[in-house]
Structure formats: C-alpha cells, structure tokens
Amino acid sequence: MPKKPKKQQSGGGGTPATVALTAAGVDFTVHSYDHDPAHPSYGEEAAEAMGVSPDRVFKTLVADVDGALTVAVVPVAGTLDLKALATAVGGKRAAMADPALAERTTGYVRGGISPLGQRKKLPTVLDASASAHPTICVSGGRRGLEVELAPTALATLTNATLAPIGRA
C-alpha cells in the first residue's frame, strides 16, 4: 500500500535545495514521505508514495564526463544514456561517478542528491522529456523529500542543458 505523502506549499526551508528555491522566488511544492530503507529504488519509492507517474519523477545522477563531474536529471522510469550525456556536454566518455565523491561534491547523500542547492555548482543536463510536463518532481535534498516545480524553473536555476539523455 503506498505511503501517504505529506504536502506543503512553497517554502518549507530546511535543505539547501528548498532554501535555494525560496531565495529564487520559484513556485514549488514540497512532498515528504516516510522513506523505507528496504525499498530497492529511491525514485520509484518517491513516485509510489506521491501517487505520481514515474515519468514525472526525475532522479539526479552524478557522472564523470572526461574527468569532470556532471549532473544528469532523468525520469526514474528509465535509465541514463551515458553516451548521450557525454555528447550533450561536448565530451567523449562518461561513467557514473564514485558515490562517495558525488556525495562530497554535492553535499547530499545518495538517494537524496538534488540538482538544486549543491555544495559545488556542476554542469547539469536535464532530460528533454521534462518539457512535456507542466511540473516535475526532483529530490528536495534528502531521502523522503521531493520538490515539484516547472521544468523551465529547474533548467533556469541549474543553468541546465536540455537534451535527450534518458532511455526508457
């Protein structure tokens, strides 16, 4: 049975992601739910808990593209196409970053990495499918916390490139 998410309107400061959204004056909704450490997928758990299609819930992944850390934001319903990510940022090779390095660099824990409010601003690529939705959900900066916002707002705040980097 899906967990009932708790819903708040704009504000909800507390994580660097929500603080950044509030400071930028962006309209967003906070969704929190009780995270189950036994769930096999953070993103799928979020979609189930919020009752939202996995096509609208996006996961934040950190990859190494030619030696530079890069953020990829893709739907939880699919996977990241590393070759497409490399191409999107003008690189040749991409691989998933070491999880400990991703955590240190972003300031977030795995399963709670947000594309917003990261400790170090990294190049960001948002999957082009995001533009098909009026709003999408991304991690709010901790496990069990999602923020819902317009994909255009996310792209603007993260200075993201939109590119087809997700695979179904």
Side-chain angles (χ1 to χ4, degrees):
M1 175 178 267
K3 298 173 200 119
K4 200 76 170 152
K6 301 166 195 114
K7 203 172 175 181
Q8 293 176 301
Q9 286 301 319
S10 300
T15 69
T18 58
V19 169
L21 286 165
T22 301
V26 170
D27 285 333
F28 67 101
T29 302
V30 173
H31 300 271
S32 66
Y33 57 92
D34 295 321
H35 165 62
D36 175 4
H39 201 288
S41 166
Y42 298 115
E44 288 176 13
E45 177 189 27
E48 290 167 11
M50 294 185 301
V52 173
S53 167
D55 293 341
R56 282 191 46 230
V57 180
F58 283 64
K59 56 189 169 187
T60 305
L61 304 171
V62 180
D64 179 317
V65 179
D66 297 336
L69 291 182
T70 303
V71 173
V73 185
V74 297
V76 301
T79 59
L80 171 62
D81 182 335
L82 288 164
K83 189 174 198 93
L85 175 64
T87 300
V89 294
K92 292 182 181 170
R93 303 183 99 179
M96 293 307 297
D98 173 69
L101 178 60
E103 288 179 344
R104 275 195 315 276
T105 304
T106 64
Y108 294 116
V109 297
R110 198 167 53 117
I113 294 178
S114 177
L116 301 155
Q118 295 181 354
R119 183 177 288 152
K120 180 179 179 190
K121 193 166 175 87
L122 299 172
T124 301
V125 181
L126 175 60
D127 185 65
S129 69
S131 59
H133 307 286
T135 62
I136 60 171
C137 299
V138 297
S139 175
R142 66 174 165 76
R143 296 172 187 154
L145 185 73
E146 294 283 312
V147 290
E148 181 177 351
L149 73 164
T152 52
L154 178 63
T156 299
L157 287 174
T158 59
N159 197 27
T161 300
L162 258 72
I165 59 167
R167 279 190 294 208

